[in-house]
């Protein structure tokens, strides 16, 4: 099992540690987001003299430090996460999980002025408020991921970092800050399948980008290389590709897949 003492005291390193430098776009903003919001989990191999560390939130995780300071049990809490880690961690991850799938990702940033965009007639575009939490939950389980980095619909709607498109008070599409850093806010978009292709996501993204810029930060956008609709929306709303990287989708811990040891009579 991970060192419980290290798990409790790991937030002391927070995003101030050189392993997790501030001001990064994309998933690089995860440590800052976790530190500022108190959401997510932190781990170090030692509470006072850490040699390796991990921070996770909303199914994503970032690893740093010396993998020789970890054992398989330390990493088990990262099962089924999307992990960003230096290549030197691959042997440790390979021994800890039954499956590691590389997935190429792209990071885009938006530093230009955001043009206005009018939604379709009958659609109301506005910031989400705490009272909109039921509307976010009504998007259904397939779209619930969009609120996970804020602890769920209540946290997202209370964050002041989401815009939604409504028709007859029903939420059709939303764009929100997924990871909020000191320089970049990485955004996420979610639209009901029946409402896609109508410009609703474009309107929400542009409204959110205007807000992010007004806060003195820059919007960033992350997606997989093979997610062509996401790439198209990023380009359409003025984002520029700046970086590609690989993260790893982890399977179950190896320990969970070992057959039970049969008891034998002495």
């Amino acid at each position: 099992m991970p060192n419980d003492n290290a798990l409790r005291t790991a937030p002391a390193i927070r995003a101030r540690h050189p392993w997790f430098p501030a001001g990064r776009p994309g998933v690089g903003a995860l440590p800052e987001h976790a530190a500022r919001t108190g959401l997510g989990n932190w781990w170090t191999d030692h509470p006072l003299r850490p040699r390796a560390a991990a921070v996770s939130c909303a199914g994503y995780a970032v690893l740093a430090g010396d993998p020789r300071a970890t054992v398989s049990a330390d990493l088990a809490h990262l099962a089924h996460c999307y992990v960003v880690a230096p290549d030197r961690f691959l042997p440790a991850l390979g021994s800890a999980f039954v499956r590691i799938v590389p997935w190429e990702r792209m990071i885009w940033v938006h530093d230009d002025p955001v043009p206005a965009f009018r939604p379709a007639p009958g659609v109301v575009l506005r910031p989400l408020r705490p009272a909109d939490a039921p509307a976010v939950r009504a998007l259904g389980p397939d779209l619930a991921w969009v609120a996970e980095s804020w602890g769920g619909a209540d946290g997202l709607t209370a964050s002041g970092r989401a815009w939604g498109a409504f028709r007859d008070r029903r939420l059709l599409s939303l764009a929100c800050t997924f990871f909020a850093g000191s320089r970049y806010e990485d955004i996420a978009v979610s639209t009901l399948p029946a409402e896609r292709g109508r410009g609703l996501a474009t309107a929400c993204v542009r409204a959110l980008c205007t807000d992010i810029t007004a806060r003195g930060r820059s919007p960033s956008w992350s997606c997989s290389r093979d997610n062509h609709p996401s790439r198209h929306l990023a380009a359409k709303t003025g984002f520029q590709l700046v970086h590609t990287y690989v993260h790893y989708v982890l399977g179950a811990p190896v320990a969970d897949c070992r057959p039970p040891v049969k008891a034998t009579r002495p």
Side-chain angles (χ1 to χ4, degrees):
M1 294 294 290
N3 184 312
D4 290 337
N5 188 47
L7 279 168
R8 286 196 299 272
T9 59
I13 67 169
R14 298 286 176 164
R16 295 188 295 271
H17 197 284
W19 285 331
F20 303 119
R24 288 187 172 183
V27 73
L30 186 160
E32 290 187 283
H33 179 85
R36 288 168 179 264
T37 63
L39 299 167
N41 295 299
W42 295 78
W43 173 87
T44 60
D45 64 300
H46 191 279
L48 300 178
R49 298 178 297 279
R51 295 172 56 202
V55 56
S56 60
C57 183
Y60 291 82
V62 181
L63 285 170
D66 186 351
R68 294 173 298 180
T70 69
V71 296
S72 294
D74 291 335
L75 302 174
H77 66 288
L78 300 178
H80 310 296
C81 280
Y82 301 100
V83 171
V84 177
D87 289 347
R88 62 181 178 271
F89 273 93
L90 292 181
L93 292 172
S95 64
F97 300 95
V98 296
R99 185 181 70 255
I100 305 177
V101 180
W103 199 342
E104 192 169 8
R105 301 276 295 177
M106 312 173 81
I107 294 179
W108 310 60
V109 298
H110 196 310
D111 291 320
D112 298 326
V114 182
F117 187 87
R118 281 184 172 274
V123 174
V124 175
L125 185 69
R126 63 169 176 79
L128 296 190
R129 303 184 287 261
D132 294 317
V136 174
R137 285 191 284 269
L139 291 173
D142 290 344
L143 302 182
W145 64 270
V146 76
E148 288 181 358
S149 64
W150 295 98
D154 293 297
L156 173 62
T157 53
S159 72
R161 304 195 187 215
W163 278 73
F166 294 79
R167 184 190 300 119
D168 298 328
R169 299 184 180 180
R170 184 190 183 200
L171 180 61
L172 309 177
S173 178
L174 72 85
C176 67
T177 296
F178 197 71
F179 292 134
S182 58
R183 181 179 176 186
Y184 293 98
E185 295 190 23
D186 201 54
I187 71 174
V189 185
S190 195
T191 304
L192 291 173
E195 302 293 339
R196 292 170 186 171
R198 300 181 181 180
L200 301 179
T202 299
C204 291
V205 168
R206 289 184 174 174
L208 176 64
C209 287
T210 299
D211 259 8
I212 292 172
T213 303
R215 287 193 284 270
R217 298 182 175 92
S218 295
S220 71
W221 184 290
S222 305
C223 65
S224 65
R225 179 176 285 278
D226 59 0
N227 189 339
H228 295 286
S230 184
R231 291 173 58 179
H232 176 74
L233 182 56
K236 181 179 179 180
T237 49
F239 286 80
Q240 303 293 323
L241 178 65
V242 296
H243 181 56
T244 60
Y245 69 101
V246 174
H247 73 188
Y248 300 91
V249 186
L250 303 182
V254 168
D256 290 352
C257 299
R258 291 172 181 162
V261 177
K262 293 183 178 179
T264 58
R265 291 183 179 180

